[in-house]
Structure formats: C-alpha cells, structure tokens
Amino acid sequence: MVMKIPFVDLRSQYEQLKPQINARIDQVLEHGAYVMGPEIAELECQLSEYCNVKHAITCSSGTDALLLGLMAYDVGPGDAVFTTPFTFFATAEAIALVGATPIFVDIDHRTFNIDPERLEEAIRRVNQSRKLRSRGILPVNLFGLPANYDQIDPLAREHALFVLEDAAQSFGAKHGNQASCSLGDISATSFFPAKPLGCYGDGGAVFTNDDALAEKILSIRIHGMGQNKYDNVRIGLNARMDSIQAAVLLVKLGIFDDELKKRRHLAEAYDQCLRDLVETPFTPDGMSSSWAQFSVLSDHREIMIGALAEQGIPVQVYYRIPCHLSRALGHLGYKPGDFPVTEEVSSRIFSLPMHPYLDDGIAARIRSVLQDVLHGVSRTVG
C-alpha cells in the first residue's frame, strides 16, 4: 500500500506547537473577549514590526483585506482597477464587489506575475477610451513571489494610481530589502490555514504607512464606525478577526522564519532535482519567495499528475480557469485568446507538495516518477 503524503501538513505543525497554541486559546476562553480581544492589538503590533509597516490592521479574511483596501480609496462604479487574470478568483471578485471593473493584464511567462509592459499598454488604452476612470493597480504576488514593483510603482505615479498589493500568498517574501506587505500604498494578506502563515480558520490583514488610510480602514472594518460602534459615519463591513485566530497566529509567528528557511530549502531541492524534467519556478535577482506553492510547467501535466497520485504524491492545479474566462465575469466580454501567456500557463501548470514538514527526499521521489512518465512518453512517440 502506498503511503500518501499531505499536500499541506498542518497536523505536524500543530503537534510541534500544541502546548503553546492550547495555552493561548485557553487564555481567550478564560477572558471571554472572543472578538477584538487583547490578542488582536498584540498581533497587529507584531505584524507591523515584522513587515516594517506603520499600521497592520487584522481582519476576517484575505478577501475582506482586499475589500478594505479598495473601500479605503472609495473605489466604485465607473472605476477601472488593473490586475492579473492568473490568480485566485477573490482578487477580481473584490474589485467587482465594490462595483468597479477589473481590467485584466497578461502575465510574465517566467514569474507568472502581471507583466509591467502590458500593464502600461492597458492603462493607456483605458485612459484613451475614457469609458472608465483608471484608479488603481492590484498586483498579485503569485505563489509567494513579489510582482515587479520596480516597474509597477513608476507607472502608478505617472498615472496617479494607487497600488494595492495582493500579498495573500507572499507573507514573508522580500523585494530587495522590503518585506512583502510593505510594497503597496495598501497591502493585503491572507491567513487562510494553508498559507505560509495561517490560522485555524479565515483571517487576514491590511498594511499601510498612511495614517489617514489606516484610520479609514479601522472604521470600515467595523460597520463604518465613528467615535463608537453606534456612530456610523460610512458604509462598512463586519470584517473583524476573532481573538482565537489571533492567538494561534501569535504562536505560529514565533517559528515562522524557521519555517520559511525550510520552505526555501525544499524549493532548492525541487529545483535541482526537477529542472531538466519540467520548467521550474524563476526567482528574479533581488527577490525571495515565501514559497506558498512550488509550481512547475509541463506539456504532460495530466499524465504526471496521475502517475504522482499512484505513488501517494498529491498535486494541485492553480489555476485551470483564469479569471477572465470565469462565468461570473462573462459580462466583461473577455474570450479565449485574449491573454495567451496566462492561458498557456494555465494549461500546463501544476503545484507540488510544499510545507516545512517535508523531508527533501521527496524531490528525488518525484524525480523518479516524472522520469518514468517522460520515458513512457518518448517510447510512445518513438
């Protein structure tokens, strides 16, 4: 019988941290402040210090973090926000939820992140048409790798656009000397359990160095609250983080850097073992990934997925259907062929198990399986 390994191993992490996590949760149960308890302010302080950002504001999910950022800029109907079609649907969904229009831009074929040259073309095209107001750029740091902010930021300044960094997958990554979650005018991250830093439910955070934006986000987070919760000065959300989730994150943050090192070690092992069998991820000079996923490309994806599954090695495909081809956004009029790089990548990509509790011997095990697949393919073609 083949022993199946976990794609994400939260059980091993919990066993390592069990006494501390249980003690922290017990403290919440004792004081009874289940929403906005003292753990929230403690976590926000630690997140702010970790990312070197003035304000860290926790919230109920990564999706709500994006919404809080967009609502802080009063984005709404008639506004255009530029983003990538190769991302989890929540990125585009948040733009649509505030009534704005997502303008998709194709990706760079090596990083899978938004292509700055195509971004510039898209901005100029929207500005020339005058059908929508260009308001902001929402880059995604896909799979843990920051987008190219060296090129994105000058474009934003030139066209008076805000930058909302979607760092849902990249907490812990670096762009030069800057931490992810400090790369936008506002940054948003997710603490979904499978993320590099995850809680035991949904959770997220918003980061900014702008005092006025931070004050507005704090208000929007609790129903547009003014001086108190019954003084509603704007339309807002119920987007608070639960105290128990903050308690869990406080414990996990203590071992996060060590877990990042282990993720990077595994990524190096994967790259060395697999680079001649599949297209392995590209990391530009001066950047580091948090390795939320290790995603590879192959023309033989489905055969490889099947062969790995037979050996107890799970994989995931992020993302089979790009956002521009989703039925929910069909009214935007995008069609197959509009973003050829995105569509080509989505047809060939798959992600291997990636977490700090994997022995790097898994890389050699996967290599053996993929070698057998490619030998079989070559015999068939021959």
Side-chain angles (χ1 to χ4, degrees):
M1 181 176 178
V2 175
M3 181 69 71
K4 184 174 181 179
I5 66 168
F7 189 75
V8 176
D9 191 356
L10 297 175
R11 167 54 62 179
S12 293
Q13 184 191 56
Y14 174 62
E15 289 300 329
Q16 177 179 326
L17 298 172
K18 187 174 182 177
Q20 302 98 305
I21 287 176
N22 288 358
R24 274 288 194 170
I25 291 175
D26 284 346
Q27 288 176 14
V28 177
L29 297 177
E30 288 295 327
H31 66 57
Y34 303 120
V35 179
M36 300 302 291
E39 292 78 12
I40 298 297
E42 184 181 356
L43 177 62
E44 290 177 341
C45 181
Q46 291 194 24
L47 292 173
S48 174
E49 290 178 359
Y50 189 90
C51 297
N52 193 28
V53 180
K54 191 173 183 181
H55 302 281
I57 302 164
T58 58
C59 61
S60 47
S61 70
T63 304
D64 280 343
L66 291 172
L67 281 172
L68 288 165
L70 292 167
M71 292 173 73
Y73 278 107
D74 297 313
V75 176
D79 291 338
V81 179
F82 301 89
T83 194
T84 165
F86 195 59
T87 179
F88 183 59
F89 186 67
T91 306
E93 181 181 41
I95 298 169
L97 279 170
V98 297
T101 301
I103 302 296
F104 293 117
V105 179
D106 213 349
I107 59 174
D108 178 273
H109 73 283
R110 294 197 296 173
T111 66
F112 309 143
N113 286 326
I114 195 167
D115 184 327
E117 292 183 7
R118 290 185 172 95
L119 173 61
E120 183 171 21
E121 295 169 5
I123 294 170
R124 296 192 187 282
R125 189 165 57 247
V126 168
N127 289 346
Q128 289 170 2
S129 73
R130 298 188 179 182
K131 293 179 181 178
L132 296 168
R133 298 183 299 273
S134 295
R135 290 294 312 283
I137 304 169
L138 208 172
V140 176
N141 304 336
L142 200 70
F143 304 144
L145 179 70
N148 187 346
Y149 293 91
D150 286 340
Q151 290 185 259
I152 292 170
D153 288 346
L155 281 174
R157 290 192 295 269
E158 178 184 351
H159 297 281
L161 306 175
F162 65 79
V163 175
L164 170 53
E165 176 195 8
D166 186 339
Q169 301 177 15
S170 63
F171 187 87
K174 288 284 186 70
H175 187 294
N177 294 322
Q178 282 187 270
S180 177
C181 297
S182 73
L183 301 171
D185 299 300
I186 296 180
S187 301
T189 197
S190 169
F191 299 125
F192 182 76
K195 294 294 192 286
L197 178 64
C199 54
Y200 287 167
D202 277 314
V206 186
F207 300 79
T208 186
N209 287 311
D210 188 305
D211 293 343
L213 285 173
E215 183 178 0
K216 194 170 182 180
I217 291 165
L218 286 168
S219 168
I220 297 169
R221 178 176 66 172
I222 308 179
H223 301 289
M225 183 178 72
Q227 294 300 312
N228 59 68
K229 65 181 180 179
Y230 300 113
D231 174 29
N232 306 100
V233 297
R234 56 177 56 86
I235 299 299
L237 303 169
N238 177 17
R240 299 165 294 190
M241 176 181 280
D242 294 337
S243 303
I244 286 178
Q245 303 304 341
V248 171
L249 288 168
L250 282 164
V251 176
K252 288 193 177 188
L253 196 54
I255 65 165
F256 182 65
D257 283 342
D258 182 59
E259 289 193 334
L260 272 182
K261 290 177 184 176
K262 292 176 180 177
R263 285 177 178 272
R264 288 168 182 156
H265 179 74
L266 178 58
E268 290 172 5
Y270 273 154
D271 182 66
Q272 290 172 8
C273 275
L274 305 177
R275 66 176 68 167
D276 61 328
L277 305 177
V278 292
E279 294 179 45
T280 53
F282 170 74
T283 302
D285 291 341
M287 290 194 195
S288 68
S289 175
S290 60
W291 295 110
Q293 306 295 341
F294 190 92
S295 301
V296 301
L297 299 174
S298 175
D299 292 333
H300 309 293
R301 177 177 72 184
E302 302 307 324
I303 303 173
M304 288 179 171
I305 289 174
L308 289 166
E310 289 178 1
Q311 297 302 314
I313 302 170
V315 302
Q316 297 288 341
V317 177
Y318 307 107
Y319 301 93
R320 286 187 184 273
I321 302 176
C323 291
H324 70 286
L325 299 180
S326 66
R327 288 186 291 171
L329 296 176
H331 62 282
L332 296 178
Y334 291 108
K335 60 187 183 302
D338 282 345
F339 303 109
V341 180
T342 291
E343 292 168 35
E344 188 262 342
V345 168
S346 70
S347 71
R348 302 176 65 227
I349 198 165
F350 62 99
S351 299
L352 302 174
M354 169 54 74
H355 58 79
Y357 302 92
L358 267 176
D359 187 290
D360 60 11
I362 187 65
R365 187 175 160 192
I366 291 173
R367 177 178 177 82
S368 177
V369 175
L370 299 190
Q371 279 182 319
D372 287 346
V373 168
L374 293 177
H375 288 158
V377 169
S378 64
R379 285 196 301 269
T380 301
V381 172

